[in-house]
Amino acid sequence: MEVKSTLELGGWLWIGTAAGLLRWNPDSAAAAAAEPVPGWRGVEVQALAADGDRLVAAVYGPDGAAITRCDADGVPGERIAPPPDEKVKTLAACGGTLWIGTKRGVFRHDGQGWSHVFGAGVFGAEFSAAGGKAEILRLWHRGGRTLVGSVKKLAPDDRPALIESADDGDSWTVLPQPDYQDLVLAAAAGSIVTRWRGARPIDKRAGYKKHPITAGLIAEDGTTAVVDGDKLEIARPGAAKLSAYHPAIAEAEHLHLVPGGAVVAGAQGAWRFEPASGTLTDLLPAHGLDRRPGKLKRLFLLDGALLATTTFGTFRSFDDGVSWERADSEWWVLDAEHAARGAAGRWWIACQRGLFRTDDRGGRIDYHKIKVDGPHYAELRALAVTGDRVAIGTKQGLFVNRPSEDPERFVRVEAFGTGAVEALACDRSDGTLVVGTAAGTLWRWDWTTAPQALAEMPIGESAMLAGNGIAWLACGDRLTEIRGRAPTDATPPDARGGLHLTEAGDRLFVWDGQGAWMRHREGRDWTAVAGWPAGVRHVAIDAARGVALATDRARLFRIAL
């Protein structure tokens, strides 16, 4: 059951999930698991905050979205509707005033209604011209009435930032972070925890971490704790740093220190972890509560083994999804987006925050550290592999490995600059790379000499294939074929938009939310796939058996081709 929010209040750890609200007593030896709070079943608890000794929750339920004030026992009371068309991401409260964070900034409710206090042109003309965007990741109080926020994407260049207000949001101090996606996860007087540089004094720039940090805290006594990849790291003043590992920890977004260890929570649920013994305890047993299985996000066929990534873990099947086994992964939660076969049966798997590899078709999946010099890669966007050469498209340019020197060393290809690379494909006929940049240029590159521009076209989050000197790019509502330097529209005539692209042997396979089509790579005519289910989000093709395995995120379909 996915955990959306957590809060320490009144001796309890409150746990907001996609299916209800629970609470757990960290000091009770008998409290092995959290208990459901009556009246909250079936309600998605997106965010939690404390107003004195009372609980405040941002919820989505049968009656719609609301900010709900509760008593000390979690009994719901007053409901306040959020601003129209705003989805609450985070929440803070103090003295009866509410603040919410959304994709457009910070909104304040003082009993008379909502006002937009951050994100509405607060930086003047430059900020306003960029759309006034300020996506808020977290809001919290730091002593008295000081309000602190973490901005995920701040206009005009989508950099993270730390914001602070000492007057309830009337004015703000802004501390932009220099690195894209180095999000602020925790802040206290003089200290900060960020995704890629970890815990440090706020005026210092520490080096990059090998793993992304997904959760952090700074206690009043100066203790810091972080979830660093699959590692829990606790640093107490004057004491040696404590480190412990478990695959269930990775990707956790909420972290609390409790007697004997810590609680980590996120898409994988909520777990108590005791570093001294390595004991992991599930805090969310069923209790008759709807334990939703999460979303089936991506499907990959690794030489006959079906790998499925979900919101809460990674699983493998050898019978088209009839039965599953958990992959022995260094991280349980792998938000995989791309997979590509390399030399000697090795498969490479790219997630947004890291690169993984498996030599046994997903039986064991290991994190592959990416060592880079200069600006960090920040976020992976695309993957292409030929033999033992690996290319990763990132938000900060194109990086390639140097397998003969250091298998973990990747270097930036300076010819592509530091802009985002949104699409990659390897042409197997000659080993060249086709590179699509967010700036709107498609390039062909032979890994050594200067790249050659092929075409100018929109290249957002795109899927791309290449072969025999031809490239195909699916972007938005259009499939483009590029022969030489001449792009032509190759969109199936019945496609309705939101196109996706993969390969089925020597055929192209295209689908959208309503249908799917195939054609030979060298052909022109598309054939509709009979019996294609609506709402398909991801597909894995077994061309040898003539089977497509597809998911709409809730179900798995097997379709004969």
Side-chain angles (χ1 to χ4, degrees):
M1 182 159 45
E2 183 177 4
V3 173
K4 297 284 190 176
S5 52
T6 58
L7 176 71
E8 294 181 52
L9 178 66
W12 296 93
L13 176 61
W14 300 82
I15 303 173
T17 77
L21 179 67
L22 303 95
R23 64 181 186 177
W24 177 69
N25 185 349
D27 296 317
S28 172
E35 60 184 44
V37 179
W40 289 85
R41 181 174 296 182
V43 176
E44 179 179 321
V45 185
Q46 175 66 39
L48 293 169
D51 192 352
D53 61 354
R54 293 179 178 271
L55 187 74
V56 184
V59 302
Y60 293 85
D63 298 326
I67 313 299
T68 301
R69 298 185 189 273
C70 311
D71 65 14
D73 293 319
V75 177
E78 179 188 13
R79 290 171 55 90
I80 299 172
D85 302 321
E86 297 293 336
K87 181 173 176 61
V88 179
K89 307 291 287 185
T90 184
L91 172 68
C94 185
T97 301
L98 302 174
W99 296 266
I100 61 169
T102 77
K103 286 189 174 183
R104 293 200 311 122
V106 180
F107 293 77
R108 180 179 64 201
H109 192 284
D110 57 6
Q112 303 300 315
W114 292 101
S115 55
H116 199 175
V117 296
F118 184 86
V122 290
F123 293 125
E126 181 184 28
F127 185 79
S128 299
K133 183 174 66 174
E135 185 175 344
I136 307 300
L137 180 71
R138 287 175 175 82
L139 288 173
W140 62 91
H141 279 283
R142 187 176 66 202
R145 302 185 66 87
T146 300
L147 183 65
V148 184
S150 170
V151 186
K152 182 178 181 180
K153 293 182 178 180
L154 185 67
D157 57 359
D158 282 349
R159 299 284 170 172
L162 182 69
I163 59 174
E164 182 174 334
S165 175
D167 53 15
D168 293 343
D170 287 334
S171 62
W172 297 87
T173 300
V174 180
L175 179 64
Q177 298 301 299
D179 303 306
Y180 179 87
Q181 277 289 313
D182 193 25
L183 307 176
V184 178
L185 304 177
S191 298
I192 195 172
V193 177
T194 64
R195 170 156 292 164
W196 285 110
R197 294 186 183 270
R200 65 189 188 278
I202 201 167
D203 58 348
K204 302 295 183 182
R205 286 192 65 182
Y208 294 114
K209 298 292 184 181
K210 293 179 180 178
H211 305 92
I213 292 173
T214 55
L217 66 84
I218 303 172
E220 291 184 0
D221 66 356
T223 296
T224 62
V226 298
V227 173
D228 180 355
D230 60 343
K231 177 175 66 173
L232 171 66
E233 187 173 272
I234 303 172
R236 302 185 187 277
K241 189 175 293 185
L242 170 67
S243 299
Y245 297 81
H246 198 285
I249 289 174
E251 296 287 308
E253 296 183 347
H254 310 282
L255 172 62
H256 299 268
L257 296 180
V258 298
V263 170
V264 293
Q268 63 271 70
W271 302 83
R272 177 176 181 167
F273 181 55
E274 300 173 67
S277 62
T279 302
L280 192 72
T281 305
D282 186 359
L283 298 185
L284 301 180
H287 282 308
L289 202 63
D290 174 18
R291 294 207 68 171
R292 301 178 186 180
K295 297 175 183 177
L296 210 173
K297 301 179 76 171
R298 300 272 181 168
L299 300 170
F300 303 98
L301 273 169
L302 312 184
D303 296 328
L306 179 63
L307 193 73
T309 63
T310 75
T311 51
F312 59 92
T314 308
F315 301 85
R316 189 171 66 154
S317 174
F318 289 98
D319 52 16
D320 291 349
V322 175
S323 59
W324 296 93
E325 63 184 24
R326 181 182 287 278
D328 179 19
S329 176
E330 192 171 337
W331 296 8
W332 273 8
V333 180
L334 283 182
D335 196 7
E337 297 188 357
H338 307 278
R341 196 179 195 277
R346 169 169 287 184
W347 279 86
W348 295 88
I349 298 169
C351 303
Q352 186 180 95
R353 289 189 282 267
L355 183 65
F356 293 77
R357 65 181 188 272
T358 176
D359 293 318
D360 57 3
R361 301 185 297 166
R364 171 65 187 178
I365 304 174
D366 289 305
Y367 185 83
H368 189 88
K369 299 180 182 66
I370 300 174
K371 301 175 183 176
V372 297
D373 298 320
H376 198 253
Y377 59 86
E379 177 184 323
L380 305 188
R381 305 291 287 173
L383 172 70
V385 178
T386 176
D388 59 359
R389 294 185 295 182
V390 180
I392 50 175
T394 81
K395 274 291 188 178
Q396 301 287 285
L398 179 69
F399 291 80
V400 296
N401 68 340
R402 289 184 167 174
S404 61
E405 300 174 13
D406 179 349
E408 296 179 348
R409 176 65 59 185
F410 280 71
V411 296
R412 182 192 311 278
V413 182
E414 297 299 338
F416 295 102
T418 58
V421 171
E422 297 285 0
L424 282 176
C426 182
D427 190 326
R428 296 173 187 168
S429 65
D430 58 10
T432 58
L433 277 182
V434 182
V435 182
T437 64
T441 303
L442 202 65
W443 304 83
R444 187 174 289 273
W445 182 53
D446 65 2
W447 297 80
T448 55
T449 60
Q452 302 296 313
L454 296 179
E456 301 291 327
M457 64 182 68
I459 303 174
E461 292 187 49
S462 306
M464 188 160 63
L465 297 174
N468 296 325
I470 309 169
W472 299 269
L473 180 78
C475 181
D477 298 343
R478 181 184 174 100
L479 177 69
T480 302
E481 180 176 282
I482 303 95
R483 293 174 178 258
R485 299 189 181 186
T488 59
D489 187 357
T491 308
D494 297 328
R496 301 184 183 181
L499 291 182
H500 304 270
L501 171 68
T502 188
E503 60 184 342
D506 59 356
R507 294 177 291 179
L508 303 179
F509 192 97
V510 174
W511 78 95
D512 61 16
Q514 300 297 320
W517 303 266
M518 292 189 300
R519 59 158 250 210
H520 193 276
R521 286 172 179 254
E522 300 290 344
R524 287 290 184 269
D525 298 327
W526 293 96
T527 301
V529 177
W532 190 257
V536 167
R537 302 294 295 273
H538 204 246
V539 174
I541 305 292
D542 190 331
R545 294 191 299 136
V547 171
L549 297 164
T551 181
D552 60 2
R553 293 200 173 182
R555 297 165 293 176
L556 181 66
F557 305 96
R558 185 181 187 277
I559 304 108
L561 302 179

